[in-house]
Amino acid sequence: MEKSNLVDSLGFPPMEDEAEGVSISKTMAIIACTSMSILYVAILYSPTLILRLPNPSTLNSFMIRRFICAAVSSVISIFLCAFLLIPVGKWGLSSLFGLYGIRTDHMWNAVVYPLSLTSLLYIGSFVTILLSPKKSRKEEIVNGDIFRCLKNSIRGFLERMTSLTSNVLAWRNYVVAPLTEEVVFRACMIPLLLCGGFKPYTIIFFSPIFFSLAHLNHFLELYFQQNYTFLKASLIVGLQLGYTVLFGSYASFLFIRTGHLIAPVIAHVFCNIMGLPMLSSQRKGLSIAATAAGFLGFIWFLFPATNPNLYNYRTDNCLCWHGFCTLS
């Protein structure tokens, strides 16, 4: 396809000058990604260790301080990535937004398809919840008052959503952590690794190592601050690291295949809301059957639902992050 027909993901003119000069070594890409991982964790402890600020007196103040640290880390990573991949004099909305997968085109596809795909892993959880309603709901259904049951369910959902807006832990789990982690570990690191010469599938299985490094601090907190035994802390963190590696691979896959940052962010928020997929319940057989069916469906639709043609963007090389991706 001729250059005149090349597509810029945000509707801006193609960035020919920037794309032609993009090249970094694999060593530089790995060093930059490792530095971002360390910074993301280390900066959380900088207020007390470096700035010598007193320890927060409340959970809210503690979490707000961490939110600020995570935001600062993300901004530093954003500028470091841009500095390595785009000449400073040519920074602009087109180059920066395109680099980080912040796009407005095909946004609906980037939200619905990855969310639907991810939800297949939780069919067992959904079935268990639907078949195990609260006693009051059972009584309402038995008495034939379906509308009251529906009304109470909607009211309960709205009340929970309202309470979450003032819950600092909810902000961490559903806003700050998904957004900052996906910006740093996907939007910043993956373009660096692609432009460093790594193949897409190498990145999908390799980049989660950086993601898991950002969770090793949990072991220190459990072992030294909460006085967990070494074995118990290791088991808890080991399980968490295993889950983060699996999710990191999946999030990297979504980002590379769709070229949209919103795709892994939405999947991250959804997984944080749902937790680990439910594998057993009082209705064990049905739950396991639903989980198995959902997993098979996930495998079946994994590539069709993330086909780059659905997102009008080729994302398998460095130039694709600079507006030079064809539709073929």
Side-chain angles (χ1 to χ4, degrees):
M1 186 176 290
E2 299 296 327
K3 283 189 178 182
S4 60
N5 294 326
L6 294 175
V7 177
D8 186 291
S9 63
L10 292 174
F12 294 98
M15 298 168 291
E16 181 174 355
D17 293 337
E18 292 93 334
E20 290 180 349
V22 173
S23 179
I24 62 173
S25 67
K26 289 186 176 180
T27 302
M28 177 61 71
I30 293 175
I31 291 175
C33 292
T34 303
S35 300
M36 291 178 186
S37 298
I38 295 174
L39 175 65
Y40 190 85
V41 176
I43 200 170
L44 298 177
Y45 302 94
S46 61
T48 53
L49 297 179
I50 297 177
L51 301 179
R52 300 296 181 180
L53 297 177
N55 290 323
S57 57
T58 64
L59 175 63
N60 281 3
S61 58
F62 173 77
M63 294 308 304
I64 290 174
R65 180 181 291 185
R66 288 209 157 185
F67 293 168
I68 295 173
C69 291
V72 171
S73 172
S74 300
V75 170
I76 293 174
S77 295
I78 286 171
F79 279 101
L80 175 60
C81 179
F83 176 77
L84 292 174
L85 298 182
I86 303 175
V88 176
K90 296 181 178 179
W91 286 10
L93 288 179
S94 175
S95 56
L96 291 175
F97 284 0
L99 180 65
Y100 303 119
I102 302 174
R103 300 165 49 198
T104 56
D105 66 294
H106 296 74
M107 179 71 73
W108 179 255
N109 290 2
V111 171
V112 174
Y113 292 151
L115 182 59
S116 300
L117 181 66
T118 307
S119 66
L120 290 175
L121 295 173
Y122 291 89
I123 288 182
S125 301
F126 294 142
V127 168
T128 301
I129 293 172
L130 289 174
L131 295 180
S132 302
K134 294 181 180 179
K135 184 177 180 180
S136 59
R137 292 180 184 172
K138 285 183 178 180
E139 292 175 350
E140 289 172 348
I141 294 174
V142 170
N143 294 331
D145 200 346
I146 302 296
F147 292 105
R148 179 181 296 177
C149 176
L150 180 61
K151 180 180 178 181
N152 290 339
S153 297
I154 295 175
R155 180 184 299 171
F157 175 78
L158 293 176
E159 289 176 354
R160 286 195 297 273
M161 291 300 99
T162 303
S163 65
L164 288 179
T165 60
S166 59
N167 187 332
V168 69
L169 295 180
W171 276 94
R172 178 195 64 182
N173 294 333
Y174 309 139
V175 180
V176 178
L179 186 58
T180 58
E181 288 180 2
E182 295 309 316
V183 165
V184 173
F185 295 98
R186 252 62 71 179
C188 291
M189 291 190 183
I190 288 179
L192 285 170
L193 294 171
L194 284 172
C195 292
F198 289 95
K199 299 296 182 182
Y201 286 102
T202 301
I203 296 172
I204 289 170
F205 293 105
F206 176 68
S207 63
I209 295 176
F210 300 112
F211 189 42
S212 63
L213 288 177
H215 295 78
L216 287 176
N217 64 306
H218 295 170
F219 174 83
L220 300 178
E221 293 178 354
L222 291 174
Y223 185 67
F224 290 104
Q225 296 181 7
Q226 301 184 31
N227 296 321
Y228 279 59
T229 64
F230 181 86
L231 178 60
K232 187 175 181 179
S234 299
L235 290 175
I236 293 174
V237 175
L239 176 63
Q240 187 179 44
L241 290 182
Y243 178 75
T244 55
V245 167
L246 289 175
F247 177 79
S249 294
Y250 177 55
S252 299
F253 178 86
L254 288 177
F255 187 61
I256 290 175
R257 293 276 290 179
T258 68
H260 270 280
L261 176 60
I262 192 64
V265 169
I266 288 295
H268 197 148
V269 173
F270 181 77
C271 289
N272 279 2
I273 292 174
M274 296 299 298
L276 292 174
M278 189 177 297
L279 299 178
S280 63
S281 67
Q282 294 179 347
R283 301 175 182 269
K284 187 175 182 179
L286 187 57
S287 176
I288 292 178
T291 299
F295 180 76
L296 291 176
F298 175 82
I299 298 298
W300 182 267
F301 290 107
L302 180 61
F303 284 91
T306 59
N307 189 326
N309 290 328
L310 294 173
Y311 309 94
N312 200 28
Y313 207 53
R314 286 279 304 280
T315 55
D316 57 356
N317 59 63
C318 176
L319 295 184
C320 290
W321 300 100
H322 295 266
F324 274 77
C325 301
T326 67
L327 298 178
S328 60

